[in-house]
Each structure stands twice: as structure tokens, then as C-alpha cells.
Amino acid sequence: DRHVVVQTFPKRKRADEQMRESEERFTLFAEHSTSVLWIFDAKTNRLEYLSRACEQIWGESRDVLMEDWSRWTERLHPDDREHVLDVFKGVLGGDSTTCEYRITRADGSVRWIRDTLFPIRDEHGRVRQAAGLAQDITRHEGALVYVVDGGEAARQALTRMLQGAGYQVKVFATVRAFLEAAPVLVPGCAVLNVSAVDAGDLMVPRRLMARRIGLPVVATGERRGDVGLAVQAMKAGAIDYLEVPYTTDALLAAVASALAGIQDAAVGNREAEDARSRVAALSAREREVLHGLLKGGTNKTIGKELGISPRTVEIHRAHLMDRLGAHTLPEAVLKATAGLKPSTSQNEAKRRGDGWRGQ
């Protein structure tokens, strides 16, 4: 019996380590994914896990949604609610499926969701959990402009100008209302009226970037001969400044440039997310080999550092390149580097927030 215990303990220890590594990879992927990962407990009828991305898509606090499951069903579009609940019951009965439906957020906007749902069974084959991966598939054409602050007449004139050019426009009468809604707004450009009298308006771009909210700001205002207002707005992070009165062409050019930047960032972020998920899927040993490669190590030097043979390093290297979808070592390094970097919006926030300090 003692012999059996001695032989079993290392296996159990290794199994525990593998389980811990698997949980770490899951958490790393879930918390960095722009899709919503969720797990529902069939016995308690409560969400057991919900990833942070739900706050951006559903426009609700993760804690609130986890605390009250009915908040999720309330957000289902009335025309889709019955169908989605039937699909969900089917998953609890053992079905795996993909479902597309709409949700209506608190701000009244509608988003299309594609949810891949599947059951999780216990050792007896009974469904104990339902889980899924929900993606926002709403088509945002990058044509949404938020008009913020300024007088009523000015906001109406600006709205007509932008709508005449084909943009969708949402108006915020105050900076405070805009900042409160900003975390859950669909990506777009903000046109902000700033005033030398109210210095708080000038800090809006910096506040957005500090909270990692990707809404570029085009500032407008009356300098009245004082170039300081324009300088302050640009230092605060506005991508452009237009002095009132400005021409229609000048405003539309500034808005178009801002929205083009959003589309470029979105493409970059999707690629970075894919790279991050691939890196997160690597085993602990594969990540150690990867870090060795990123430092310029060879199979021999990496093997010596990790206490394994160069041949074993080569095997791990081949596995990680396959997981990264890379055909050459330089390609693997580029993809891994992208997967280890913060997102474009995070980099932009850091650059904008710190870049003016030395000027």
C-alpha cells in the first residue's frame, strides 16, 4: 500500500498543477477577450462566472448581472426573448447550439449578439451547467458622432450639419452627462465645445483616455485671439481643434479623420486579441520557452536555463509555433509580441496621458 501511495502522489500533484495551469489560462483569456464568457449553474439558477466584457456590450455592471439573472432576460429584445429562452432550456437539456438575438440596453440602443451555447456535464453525464461565448456582431459603420455641450442653437446646427453628411448623431447637453454614458457608448467621435471659462471641459479627452475609452475628441471653441485654448485642448488629448466659426468642410474633415482612426484601431485590436488568446492557450512550459526565444535564446541556452534538453526545447518550440499559427520563428516572435502587448487603446491612453509631460 505504501508503494501505491508513493507512486500515486506525484501523479496527483501533476494533475493538480495541470488543473491550476488550465484555470490560469482560462482566466487570462476570459478577462482579455472582447467576447463575453459566461457559466450558468443549473442547480442554483445563478450565473457562476461572467467575464468583464459584458459591461461594454450589455452596458450593465458585471456584479449587477451576476447578482440578478433576471436583468439578463430583461435586456433581451421583446421579439427575440421567447426564442432565446427556449434555446437556453434546450442547452440545459443537453443541446449545443449557436443563437443570434438582439438586446436592448439601458440607453435604448440595440445590439446584435451571437451566442455559442453548450452544456457542461458532471461525471454521471447530467447537465450541471450551461455555458457560452457571446459576441457583439452589431455592424457599427464608424459613422456615429456625439455632440457635447455648447448652446442649444449651436448643438442643433451642428447636428443638422452632421446628419446632412450621413452621420448618426447623439446629443449630450452637458459634459457630465457625456462622461457618465461614455463607458457604454458605441465607438464614435465626440465633437466637444470647450470654453476658456470652464477649464473642466478641456480635461474631457484626458479623462476618456485615463478610463481607456476609445472616443476621439474634436474640440471646438472661440479663442478670441488667445492661442492658449487650442494648445490646452490638444495637450489634453483632443485630436483636432477648430476655432469657431469653422467651415463645414473643416469640421467634416476632422470628424472623418477621427473615425478613420477608430476603424484602424479596431482592426489592430482584433488582431491583438487573437494573438493574446493564442498566447494564453500556451502551456506553462511553452510560455517559458517563448520568453526564452523573445530574449534571443537558442535551443541550447534555453534548455540550460530551464533544465531541459535542447531536443525538448525544440519540441516545445514547434508546439508553440503551431498554437500561434506561425510558420517561421520571426513570425512567431511578432505574433507573440502582439499578444503580450496592451491593446491599441491602452497604448494610446498611455501615450496621450504621458506624452505631454516633457513638453
Side-chain angles (χ1 to χ4, degrees), residues 10 19 26 35 40 59 62 68 87 97 105 117 158 179 181 207 210 222 242 248 268 274 337:
M19 178 66 72
F26 170 79
S35 299
F40 179 84
R62 172 165 66 172
D68 186 0
V87 169
T97 187
R105 306 193 328 159
L117 307 92
L158 182 54
L179 289 176
R207 290 175 185 174
E222 295 184 54
L242 301 177
T248 299
D274 176 69
T337 302

Side-chain angles (χ1 to χ4, degrees), residues 278-329:
R278 289 174 181 269
V279 171
L282 298 176
S283 68
R285 180 62 83 187
E286 287 168 348
R287 285 200 295 273
E288 290 175 340
V289 171
L290 174 61
H291 283 295
L293 292 171
L294 293 177
K295 292 189 295 185
T298 64
N299 291 350
K300 184 175 181 180
T301 59
I302 295 172
K304 184 177 181 180
E305 182 178 342
L306 299 180
I308 56 179
S309 69
R311 175 57 182 161
T312 302
V313 173
E314 178 63 31
I315 293 173
H316 286 306
R317 173 174 160 174
H319 286 169
L320 71 87
M321 288 182 63
D322 182 61
R323 288 179 183 269
L324 292 175
H327 300 289
T328 64
L329 181 57

Side-chain angles (χ1 to χ4, degrees), residues 58-75:
W58 260 257
E60 293 267 14
S61 162
R62 172 165 66 172
D63 294 338
V64 169
L65 288 172
M66 289 195 67
E67 181 65 27
D68 186 0
W69 172 249
S70 66
R71 295 294 290 267
W72 179 80
T73 58
E74 290 171 2
R75 289 285 167 236

Side-chain angles (χ1 to χ4, degrees), residues 88-288:
F88 188 75
K89 289 177 183 177
V91 175
L92 291 176
D95 296 338
S96 295
T97 187
T98 297
C99 178
E100 292 186 4
Y101 55 89
R102 290 162 292 178
I103 61 171
T104 303
R105 306 193 328 159
D107 62 4
S109 63
V110 175
R111 293 198 180 183
W112 274 97
I113 306 297
R114 177 182 292 128
D115 213 338
T116 302
L117 307 92
F118 53 91
I120 299 177
R121 303 177 184 272
D122 60 20
E123 63 273 17
H124 303 293
R126 293 188 293 263
V127 176
R128 60 185 177 88
Q129 295 165 315
L133 180 67
Q135 300 171 286
D136 183 355
I137 59 171
T138 311
R139 292 191 62 183
H140 304 309
E141 302 298 338
L144 218 162
V145 181
Y146 301 102
V147 174
V148 186
D149 210 357
E152 177 66 23
R155 290 196 300 270
Q156 289 182 359
L158 182 54
T159 297
R160 288 194 296 270
M161 182 190 303
L162 291 165
Q163 289 177 336
Y167 292 111
Q168 300 177 52
V169 180
K170 185 173 180 61
V171 177
F172 291 90
T174 66
V175 165
R176 179 178 180 179
F178 173 66
L179 289 176
E180 288 177 350
V184 296
L185 292 178
V186 170
C189 165
V191 178
L192 170 70
N193 179 268
V194 298
S195 167
V197 177
D198 188 355
D201 292 353
L202 296 171
M203 297 308 295
V204 169
R206 182 162 291 169
R207 290 175 185 174
L208 291 175
M209 288 184 292
R211 295 160 68 185
R212 296 177 179 175
I213 300 171
L215 297 172
V217 174
V218 174
T220 68
E222 295 184 54
R223 292 189 313 188
R224 296 177 181 174
D226 180 12
V227 298
L229 183 60
V231 172
Q232 290 179 62
M234 298 297 285
K235 282 189 174 183
I239 65 167
D240 206 343
Y241 179 88
L242 301 177
E243 183 176 4
V244 178
Y246 47 77
T247 66
T248 299
D249 288 345
L251 177 70
L252 295 181
V255 168
S257 178
L259 293 174
I262 291 176
Q263 293 169 347
D264 291 343
V267 172
N269 283 337
R270 285 196 295 270
E271 293 175 349
E273 182 190 350
D274 176 69
R276 284 195 297 273
S277 66
R278 289 174 181 269
V279 171
L282 298 176
S283 68
R285 180 62 83 187
E286 287 168 348
R287 285 200 295 273
E288 290 175 340

